[in-house]
Amino acid sequence: MEGETEERDYKVLVVGEGGCGKTSYINQYVNHIFSKAYKATVGVDFALKQVQWENTRVRLALWDIAGQERFNHMTRVYYKGAHGAMVVFDVTKDKTFQAVPRWKKDIDSNLDNIPTVLVANKCDLLDNPLDTETMEKFCAQHGFIGWYETSAKENIRVEDCGTFLLEHLVKRDRELNPGKYTNTEKTVSLTQASDPRLAAKTCNNSC
Amino acid sequence: MAEGRRDYFESWATSILCDRSKTPEQLRTFIAVFRKFIKPDILLGLWIEYLNGIEDSDEEGCQRAMHFLIMWLSESFQEDFNREERKAMIDMIDRLPSHHNEIKLLYIRVECKKRKMRLSQSYATQPTTLSSSLSRSSSGSNATGFSSSNFQPNNPSPSSTPQMPTLMSIAAKKKLKSSSALSVNPTPQEMAEALTWRVSNSFRALRARDLLTKLNWDKSRSRHQPNSVEDISSWVTSTIVSTERSIVKDQISYMIRLSRQCEILGNFDTCLAVLSGVNSFAVQRLKHAWAEIADRDLEDYDHLEDLMSPTGNFKVYHDELATRKGPIVPYIGLILRDFTFLGENEALTNGSINFELIKMIEQRLTTVWLQQRETYDISPSQVTPALSWFKEKSGIVIMDDEALYRRSLECEPAMWSAVPDSFYGTESRSARSSTVDGVAPTLERTPSRIPSRDQLTVKGASNDKLSAGRKALGPLMRRVEEVALNFYNSHTQIQTRRGVIRMGGQRVYLCRTAGLKDMHKRSILPVLRTELDLDIKLSGESYLYKSMYELGRGDARHFKPSINLTRQEFLPSGIIFCTYL
């Protein structure tokens, strides 16, 4: 596919307890604005981030469950077809960290092993960085692909974290669809016997 | 509180109090948001200043002041002031000049109304503990015993206040209670009415301040408990997977009908809660059961899925909401979401209040207030049997996701291997086979084995049609492919290329119905037209999905002998109704 540009769409969930800065994080990542004009924020279903990745034009759709954290069963309507996820917590609020495994479990029990990154947000409010060893252990234990200390407010590592997840999304996509990136054969499709009546008929014959 | 802040706030407060053109909604919004800018006692000071400034002859001004105070007091008197302050306020009102006697009268009226409201509300939310709530509200009846609830001073129409329980209805209820449980399970309609009655009470009790906690503007504890809503989802999933294998399909149908009945009643909150219970992974993977769901229910399910789809910020749902007449219960989570987004904005811009934001808050609050006005014509006694049936969970144990999944596996073992027989139709009720995934082989219809690689050699390639340079598929379609692809790659030697699998020289387009439902009709139509050469017109999604489903099912049946290699001449094309792993 040399010279050609592939286009990919990935749906990324952004979950975590209320007030840990999910919406700010997305705003920062997508617009580089900490606090965004409300006109655009109300009534938007997801935020779109366009990234060029090698010869692929990637569009990341970030879905925010903002405000519905306590309806976590209902937020599953957002889960459908997600390719990746971010679980966000607030480093200054232990309660939001305690809830991380629950969010991860919720993702795992509804989606098929999608790459999930742990986002330790509001690190600008922290005097000392989080203990790396503990965090690594935590990630391994709960099946996160990695973790990032970020600050949506100060725009610290927001981009890095997104890139990291994106890298995994692309990697997984290539594993699952080996044909797509080394596309040497022509795509094929079949047009016959796709009429439902015909299908039903053949079934009757064979049953 | 910074002095500067007080200055600009004062001018706002004064305009709220003095300006006759302010609407009741603006007043209520002000009362809901002022704590962001100023403390309640300072506002009270401003109010007293204003009152003292009114000429005795200015009856309208006086009225306005009273109106404002009553509105405020009824919203959050108890929370804004502690006991001493409330006492002091009552003394103060007592000391007001005689021409303010009306205020005193109104104050008493508010108090009476409050008590009444509290009584009927506790009755409403706790139908089984009426006597205790009665004693509670009478014990709290001292002079300062205001309780705040959804009292709406500018909308005192009788329909907006819950009906007082009559002795008759209490007696009737007690009788019902004593005769206890239902002899038969409630119908979906009865259940929908019961749950709607319950959630409607909870929605109508939702206050502006509960919503403002989402903006971090209000530090008060939100009194809104979504748990009651949440447990509906868990109940739905647990109920479905807990039942006898043979009636799992009936339970799924029941829940679809329940969700549909809620939608008919305009109770979108419960509608979505039930639907998300049905949509949990533990239920979705039960393909045996799903294959047996009646078309009528599947159509309803598709309709509900479309309605509650998050696409375009729940566009279909919002459109529907706008056209509904009569009482409704919106999905409360979305209201909270909007307020969370509003909270991303600064309340102060360039040192003054961000009135554009205030206006948006007002708009959203007004919508909620409007939605809270109309009540359902459902009497408590009517729903008690179904509610108690629900509360006792009809013996259902609420499970967590892991337990649900385990139960789900017991209903239908994992792996594609388990699927073909009963899923694809009526054949092969053959002998029980060995265990699958370590789960006891209790299936009535025993799964056949996974077709091995060797078995999957298919002869005869006659009806291929090559077509190069396809446009990329949408993300949802790709996701569907991923699932199918995983299976095929791990179990067969089939190569895949962009949703088209190649089997022994034949090409088969892979898809599954749930995946199709995910897709928007505009994105699926070109795929169907060009890839499958189907002549499908854009005539409503339900038709489209229905035909896709039929198509998938027909092909699945058709494909089955090919997998088993009993008949090769009919190797399929078209869409295969591929299962979850």
Side-chain angles (χ1 to χ4, degrees), chain B residues 196-412:
Chain B
T196 300
W197 178 81
R198 199 177 72 149
V199 75
S200 171
N201 285 326
S202 138
F203 169 63
R204 283 165 40 76
L206 190 70
R207 303 163 313 151
R209 294 189 60 179
D210 298 329
L211 298 170
L212 286 165
T213 53
K214 283 284 155 198
L215 282 86
N216 287 326
W217 280 24
D218 201 311
K219 305 294 179 204
S220 69
R221 262 184 82 88
S222 173
R223 286 211 254 131
H224 179 242
Q225 295 294 330
N227 301 351
S228 64
V229 182
E230 179 89 327
D231 68 21
I232 292 176
S233 292
S234 316
W235 170 75
V236 167
T237 314
S238 303
T239 303
I240 292 173
V241 301
S242 297
T243 43
E244 279 286 305
R245 179 164 300 119
S246 55
I247 58 163
V248 164
K249 61 173 195 303
D250 301 327
Q251 289 290 5
I252 296 176
S253 294
Y254 180 91
M255 295 307 175
I256 292 172
R257 287 173 199 176
L258 174 59
S259 180
R260 174 83 171 118
Q261 287 297 327
C262 288
E263 186 234 322
I264 290 168
L265 286 169
N267 173 6
F268 296 100
D269 200 72
T270 311
C271 170
L272 181 61
V274 174
L275 193 65
S276 59
V278 173
N279 279 342
S280 72
F281 186 69
V283 174
Q284 284 294 308
R285 60 173 293 283
L286 300 173
K287 291 298 174 188
H288 292 71
W290 278 97
E292 290 180 47
I293 304 287
D295 286 350
R296 204 198 85 186
D297 293 327
L298 284 173
E299 269 172 52
D300 278 348
Y301 175 71
D302 289 347
H303 162 75
L304 293 166
E305 281 265 283
D306 286 348
L307 179 68
M308 301 315 287
S309 155
T311 315
N313 192 31
F314 288 80
K315 185 175 185 310
V316 183
Y317 159 74
H318 280 304
D319 291 349
E320 180 67 30
L321 210 58
T323 60
R324 283 282 174 138
K325 300 269 186 293
I328 58 158
V329 181
Y331 167 39
I332 295 160
L334 273 191
I335 300 172
L336 297 175
R337 177 181 141 117
D338 275 356
F339 276 93
T340 307
F341 281 147
L342 287 175
E344 283 295 289
N345 302 286
E346 297 295 338
L348 301 170
T349 48
N350 304 325
S352 69
I353 293 168
N354 182 353
F355 281 109
E356 215 176 330
L357 179 58
I358 301 287
K359 183 78 199 158
M360 295 202 70
I361 293 171
E362 184 198 313
Q363 281 166 355
R364 255 140 248 278
L365 286 177
T366 305
T367 310
V368 173
W369 289 328
L370 269 172
Q371 289 167 340
Q372 285 177 329
R373 270 187 201 184
E374 284 198 71
T375 48
Y376 283 95
D377 186 19
I378 301 172
S379 72
S381 59
Q382 181 188 338
V383 298
T384 313
L387 266 190
S388 62
W389 188 81
F390 173 75
K391 271 187 190 149
E392 284 149 31
K393 307 293 179 214
S394 41
I396 300 294
V397 181
I398 301 296
M399 293 174 265
D400 64 13
D401 279 338
E402 249 163 68
L404 284 171
Y405 185 65
R406 276 200 303 276
R407 263 304 301 170
S408 175
L409 283 179
E410 283 172 37
C411 291
E412 288 180 25

